[in-house]
Structure formats: C-alpha cells, structure tokens
Amino acid sequence: MDGNRALEDIRFIRKVIEETKREVVYNGKDYIFWGALVIVGMLAMYIPIKLHIYFNYFYVWVVLIPAGWLYSFYNKRKNEKSFPKTYAGKLISSVWLAAGISMTLIGFVGTLSGNINPMSINPLLSVIMGIGYMVTGKILESKWLTNVSAGWWCGALILFFIHSEMQLLLMALMMLAFQTVPGIVIYKKYKKEMESRIDR
C-alpha cells in the first residue's frame, strides 16, 4: 500500500514538473514587456539628468508601472483562455505576483514615505528579482533560469555602492541582460512548442 502511494506521489510530481515546463513558456511576453518598460524608465531618467534637464522623475513611473500591471493582467487572462493552468504554474505566478507587489510598494510607498533612500530602490528591486528567478528556476528544474538570479544578486551588490546616475544606466543594462533576453529565450521556446503542436 505504501509502495503504491509512493509511486503515485512520484507520478504526480513528474506530472507537475512537465506541466510547469510547458506553462512557463507562455510567460515570455511578460518578461520582455517588463524588461523593455523598465529600460525605457531608466533611460527616461538617465538621459535628462546627463543633459541637466530636471523634473519630477516619479511621474515617469506613475505612467509606466500601471501600464506594466495592465499588460500582465491582460496577458494572464489571454493565456488562461488558451492553456489550462497547472498547480506549479500557479506557484510561479504567485511568486512573481508577490515580487511585483513588493517591488511596487518599495518603489512607490518607500519613496513617498521617505523611509527608503531613492538610491536604495534599484539594489532592493534587484535582490527581489534574484529571488523570483531562483524560485522559478528551481520549480522548473531549469539551471540557466536559476543562474539568472546570480546576475541579479551580483548586480545588486554593485548597485548598492553606486550613488550617481550611473546606477540608472547599469539597471537598464541588467534589465536587458537578465530580464529581456531571458524573456526572448522563453518566447522562442514557446514559438517552437506551438509549431510542434500544429505539426502533430
């Protein structure tokens, strides 16, 4: 009886892993969109500062972050209509939802309250991004995705010691390397998976 139960548990775990590997492929557009969005935001702050054009940069994010959330909810609903949600897929969605809420609170509430130094925001967000990629990679048993977290944490370490506008440029580069590029890789796998399903 115990042997049968253990076998069922192993089959269930394998099923969760395989379903999740298919599920995460559909999230590539979110990675790309958020990556591009933050790159635009960082450059929208960095370039004016270098040109000595000063304004309330907070409003850049008042526009961009809600746009990102709206796109994420739209993309999530669209995917749910086409593909069934798996348990592990829900776990990954929950991890990134929690990360997104945490980063939004740090960026907006932390800044407005004055309790978080603006120069600490990018390093803190990078730490959270590292956690998100680590957990996602482990659930998917994806070594390359797990290793992306190391990039975020190394970047965070450097960002903590940068106290100038160069922090914005580095964060933009990190978003390109550790967010947008992984999103493109995931999206390509998605396209390949869709093409193989059509050929079946």
Side-chain angles (χ1 to χ4, degrees), residues 10-175:
I10 291 170
R11 285 174 180 166
F12 173 75
I13 292 168
R14 284 180 180 170
K15 182 181 177 184
V16 166
I17 291 170
E18 290 305 315
E19 286 179 341
T20 304
K21 285 179 180 176
R22 292 195 297 270
E23 172 69 21
V24 77
V25 170
Y26 310 134
N27 294 330
K29 290 182 180 180
D30 280 333
Y31 286 73
I32 296 168
F33 188 83
W34 275 103
L37 203 69
V38 175
I39 290 170
V40 168
M42 292 296 156
L43 294 179
M45 295 173 66
Y46 176 77
I47 294 172
I49 289 173
K50 295 302 287 184
L51 295 174
H52 304 289
I53 300 171
Y54 301 103
F55 58 91
N56 192 339
Y57 304 115
F58 181 80
Y59 292 111
V60 170
W61 302 106
V62 168
V63 174
L64 294 179
I65 298 303
W69 278 107
L70 287 172
Y71 178 80
S72 291
F73 287 126
Y74 163 77
N75 195 46
K76 183 174 181 291
R77 290 195 65 176
K78 186 178 178 182
N79 286 334
E80 285 177 349
K81 289 179 181 178
S82 303
F83 308 103
K85 266 287 187 182
T86 64
Y87 175 71
K90 289 178 182 177
L91 286 179
I92 292 173
S93 294
S94 296
V95 166
W96 285 108
L97 177 61
I101 291 171
S102 299
M103 289 188 285
T104 301
L105 287 172
I106 288 171
F108 282 102
V109 181
T111 302
L112 290 173
S113 68
N115 283 329
I116 296 179
N117 186 316
M119 284 295 175
S120 298
I121 292 174
N122 284 331
L124 291 173
L125 300 188
S126 299
V127 170
I128 294 173
M129 291 293 290
I131 294 170
Y133 273 99
M134 173 64 79
V135 175
T136 300
K138 288 298 182 182
I139 293 174
L140 291 173
E141 293 188 336
S142 173
K143 189 174 182 180
W144 77 268
L145 203 58
T146 303
N147 289 339
V148 171
S149 63
W152 280 110
W153 289 329
C154 288
L157 184 62
I158 296 169
L159 288 171
F160 274 121
F161 290 97
I162 297 176
H163 303 285
S164 70
E165 69 275 5
M166 289 304 296
Q167 190 189 89
L168 302 170
L169 188 59
L170 179 57
M171 187 64 172
L173 292 173
M174 288 169 60
M175 288 302 296

